[in-house]
Amino acid sequence: MAALKSPTVAVVVPRLVARLCPAAFSRTSLAFPLVPAHFSGLRPSCDRPAHPSVPASKSGFSTMSPSRVKAVLTADVGLTKPSEGIVPQIAITATESHVTEWKGDVVVIGVFEGGFGKDVNGIFEDSALKKLDDALGGIFGEIVVEEDFTGKAGQTSSARVSGHGFKRVGFVGLGKPKSASSKTWKSLGESIATIAKPAQAKSVAVLIANPPELSSEAKVSAASTVSLGTILGLFEDTRFKAEGKKPLLEKLEIVGLGSGAAFDAKLDQTVKVTGGVILARQLVNAPPNVLLPSVLADEAENLTADYSDVLTVKILDEEACRKLKMGSYLGVSAASTNPPKFIHIQYKPPTGDVKTKLAIVGKGLTFDSGGYNLKTGPGCSIEIMKIDMGGAAAAIGAAKAIAEVKPLGVEVNFIVAACENMIGGGGMRPGDILTASNGKTIEVNNTDAEGRLTLADALVYACNLKVDKIVDLATLTGACIIALGNDIGGMFTPNDALAEELSSASQSAGEKLWRMPMEDSYWEMMKSSIADMVNTGGRPGGSITAALFLKQFVNEDVAWAHLDIAGPVWSNEKKSATGFAVATLLNWVVKQAQS
């Protein structure tokens, strides 16, 4: 990732338990022993966002089977042995019964701003809130007065109750009704998890007290997104801690939005999405002494074995990549003692013809030291450079989700050029010239702009598959974090139709993308006097010049978009991965299958 110098920037969870909880999934898998240094190759430069300095996480990676983990780690730095992953297993249903009829542990009530006015007798003027307050014996009214609860987004309160079929009631502010979006419903789900944990609740019902006018489709979507937020809010990656607690919540009932086949189908798909998001989180959280390029390739093989009806995988080693003349990618990997692994997972529908061929390309730097342009000083974020494979994690997580959903009529190719960017006598130097697999030459003026060099050969490979559309994802530039902050991904594409598709998919997923300009005149900064281009154009417009660089390796007849997810791939607040873009990618692929 290219860094700025200063400042730097009833439905039940299915097989996802098997993948992330090895105990529930004891399948023997191949062990990849550590291999000594390979050959000396070309090495690129600085392609990753500089995140604000964050203490190194101790979380790791255990989606692989215990036998393989042990085989790899006993020979590795630190002798780290991850424990079993603990994943929420929740039955989710949608019903239309009244909340007062529900029996369980906790009722969570989402409340929008407005409608809190009372008459002279202190009774709610809003009929829905009055009915709710009456049903709860006046507790809601007391909380409104005593805690100044107004329904503002993020407000929460809870209280014990008696005389009902449940023990505790929680209230969550949802903000202004006109501002309701997927983000609103996802936040409600996360608040449900926050309330349920300390209450040690095994069952929760959720109700929207004063919902805005919603279409039937919007109600289904809201139920889905609340469920997504709840499951992900409960998940904690404790594989590398001495002890981990299993989430107690077993049942979530969504009351009052509706019920029926449409709800059941959508909730089923939601659970499948969470499996992919959690896998992506675990991959990014994994420490670099555990998630080597070979281990990432191993995980790809395990994933395809789990879904062999629709997934296949091809792993190219260093020699195979040399034959394909991937000089740009191999330049980045040259200094590392851990050899590169080029991963190609292919999804094909179980039945019917393929009408559309897609490629999802994820940047896969399992660790980025910066190379000879070493990441140093405050804000360089070298301690969390394990996240530089966030694009690869999103791609592989999406592969899992798509393999679960099994959309028809579409082929999807997931491509990851996995490697490390290290320092060594045989490594790439500033001033070297690399030759990519499409014949274009690159003068390396910064070894810490390495991600784009690996993506260059990955994009050429994707185009050679004769796909119709390509989306690449990368923690590419600190400049994008400076421009958009930590919550929004940058979208770069010359194709308006593809931009609209991805925007729609991200909005449905509750994830934020913002289309950025691709100013062709900025290419002047990327010109070299002795090669076809340099690999970085400096600080001004850094995320734009990075996208223009990638464009040089995509065929003009292929619709292509680049997503710079340097900011949203990691939560500074939680010091953990987010799984960003998995849900967006699934929505996009499913839509392609339907069109």
Side-chain angles (χ1 to χ4, degrees):
M1 162 169 128
L4 296 177
K5 292 305 177 186
S6 79
T8 314
V9 211
V11 177
V12 184
V13 176
R15 303 197 305 203
L16 101 90
V17 178
R19 165 149 296 282
L20 304 180
C21 297
F25 173 71
S26 55
R27 178 173 64 78
T28 304
S29 42
L30 298 176
F32 281 79
L34 295 179
V35 180
H38 42 306
F39 77 111
S40 168
L42 312 173
R43 180 157 284 262
S45 89
C46 127
D47 252 314
R48 260 205 73 178
H51 255 275
S53 183
V54 178
S57 170
K58 292 184 178 180
S59 53
F61 182 68
S62 66
T63 60
M64 51 195 112
S65 70
S67 61
R68 182 175 70 265
V69 173
K70 182 176 181 180
V72 174
L73 295 183
T74 51
D76 202 8
V77 176
L79 303 180
T80 303
K81 298 180 181 179
S83 61
E84 298 173 1
I86 300 175
V87 178
Q89 303 176 57
I90 308 172
I92 306 173
T93 56
T95 67
E96 297 183 80
S97 59
H98 194 274
V99 70
T100 55
E101 301 170 2
W102 185 80
K103 297 185 183 300
D105 292 326
V106 177
V107 169
V108 176
I109 300 170
V111 185
F112 283 96
E113 287 186 76
F116 285 86
K118 295 186 176 183
D119 61 22
V120 293
N121 298 314
I123 299 174
F124 284 106
E125 293 176 347
D126 184 290
S127 59
L129 296 183
K130 179 182 182 302
K131 184 177 180 181
L132 176 63
D133 190 44
D134 290 343
L136 296 174
I139 288 177
F140 184 36
E142 292 175 7
I143 286 177
V144 168
V145 174
E146 294 176 7
E147 301 187 17
D148 193 27
F149 186 90
T150 63
K152 183 178 179 181
Q155 275 190 307
T156 60
S157 182
S158 64
R160 291 191 63 85
V161 295
S162 59
H164 297 280
F166 45 90
K167 304 172 185 177
R168 180 172 288 273
V169 61
F171 299 94
V172 179
L174 303 179
K176 298 183 183 300
K178 292 183 179 180
S179 301
S181 65
S182 295
K183 180 73 173 177
T184 305
W185 307 123
K186 188 174 182 181
S187 295
L188 173 58
E190 292 168 347
S191 295
I192 291 170
T194 300
I195 293 170
K197 285 178 184 178
Q200 299 185 8
K202 291 187 177 181
S203 57
V204 172
V206 59
L207 166 75
I208 313 301
N210 53 346
E213 198 69 34
L214 296 174
S215 66
S216 298
E217 184 179 352
K219 289 180 180 179
V220 171
S221 179
S224 167
T225 312
V226 169
S227 303
L228 177 70
T230 303
I231 296 172
L232 297 180
L234 287 170
F235 172 72
E236 294 182 25
D237 195 349
T238 60
R239 295 163 300 154
F240 291 88
K241 293 185 177 182
E243 295 182 3
K245 293 183 178 180
K246 180 180 179 180
L248 297 178
L249 187 61
E250 299 173 349
K251 179 181 178 181
L252 174 65
E253 191 165 333
I254 301 168
V255 179
L257 286 177
S259 63
F263 280 87
D264 294 342
K266 188 64 175 178
L267 292 175
D268 178 63
Q269 179 172 314
T270 300
V271 169
K272 293 170 181 176
V273 172
T274 61
V277 175
I278 289 174
L279 175 57
R281 287 184 176 187
Q282 287 196 316
L283 289 168
V284 175
N285 282 339
N289 63 326
V290 173
L291 188 65
L292 306 174
S294 59
V295 174
L296 188 60
D298 195 8
E299 283 309 303
E301 290 189 323
N302 285 342
L303 180 65
T304 55
D306 293 346
Y307 300 96
S308 58
D309 57 329
V310 291
L311 294 182
T312 56
V313 66
K314 179 190 295 184
I315 308 295
L316 304 181
D317 62 13
E318 185 176 285
E319 186 57 34
C321 292
R322 275 185 168 274
K323 290 180 180 178
L324 292 175
K325 299 182 179 180
M326 296 183 178
S328 187
Y329 165 47
L330 294 179
V332 177
S333 69
S336 176
T337 59
N338 296 306
K341 296 292 180 180
F342 191 95
I343 303 165
H344 176 196
I345 300 171
Q346 185 177 75
Y347 166 82
K348 285 194 173 182
T351 59
D353 296 331
V354 170
K355 299 177 182 178
T356 305
K357 294 178 66 174
L358 308 174
I360 295 173
V361 179
K363 177 185 169 185
L365 268 293
T366 58
F367 185 74
D368 175 21
S369 70
Y372 280 104
N373 290 102
L374 185 66
K375 295 179 184 291
T376 58
C380 72
S381 301
I382 192 171
E383 70 275 16
I384 58 164
M385 284 301 100
K386 64 182 185 180
I387 73 170
D388 217 9
M389 43 67 65
I396 294 173
K400 176 180 175 60
I402 290 165
E404 282 276 6
V405 175
K406 294 178 174 56
L408 301 178
V410 62
E411 173 189 300
V412 191
N413 296 275
F414 306 89
I415 299 165
V416 174
C419 66
E420 296 176 323
N421 183 23
M422 303 297 284
I423 296 174
M428 175 186 65
R429 297 149 294 209
D432 283 355
I433 294 180
L434 314 181
T435 303
S437 48
N438 65 349
K440 293 186 178 181
T441 57
I442 307 155
E443 180 185 0
V444 177
N445 58 6
N446 190 329
T447 61
D448 193 28
E450 83 300 327
R452 66 196 71 183
L453 296 172
T454 66
L455 288 171
D457 282 324
L459 289 169
V460 172
Y461 182 94
C463 288
N464 289 338
L465 297 174
K466 307 300 181 185
V467 297
D468 301 300
K469 301 177 182 180
I470 299 175
V471 173
D472 79 69
L473 305 95
T475 49
L476 205 65
T477 67
C480 202
I481 298 177
I482 297 302
L484 299 177
N486 292 322
D487 297 330
I488 305 172
M491 175 172 58
F492 300 80
T493 178
N495 190 296
D496 293 340
L498 183 54
E500 179 57 35
E501 291 171 6
L502 291 170
S503 293
S504 176
S506 67
Q507 289 170 13
S508 298
E511 298 177 326
K512 294 182 179 180
L513 294 177
W514 188 263
R515 190 175 184 184
M516 300 286 280
M518 294 192 67
E519 179 57 51
D520 289 335
S521 65
Y522 285 14
W523 183 247
E524 290 297 318
M525 291 186 281
M526 300 295 291
K527 290 185 176 178
S528 166
S529 61
I530 56 174
D532 292 325
M533 68 195 83
V534 292
N535 70 320
T536 182
R539 287 172 59 89
S543 60
I544 298 174
T545 54
L548 292 173
F549 177 92
L550 296 178
K551 185 181 177 183
Q552 310 308 307
F553 303 92
V554 180
N555 294 348
E556 291 184 359
D557 61 343
V558 177
W560 159 76
H562 160 61
L563 305 183
D564 193 330
I565 59 173
V569 78
W570 180 260
S571 169
N572 293 318
E573 179 184 357
K574 298 179 180 178
K575 298 179 175 63
S576 184
T578 63
F580 184 84
V582 171
T584 293
L585 292 172
L586 175 63
N587 287 348
W588 178 63
V589 170
V590 169
K591 191 67 174 180
Q592 300 300 304
Q594 294 172 350
S595 60

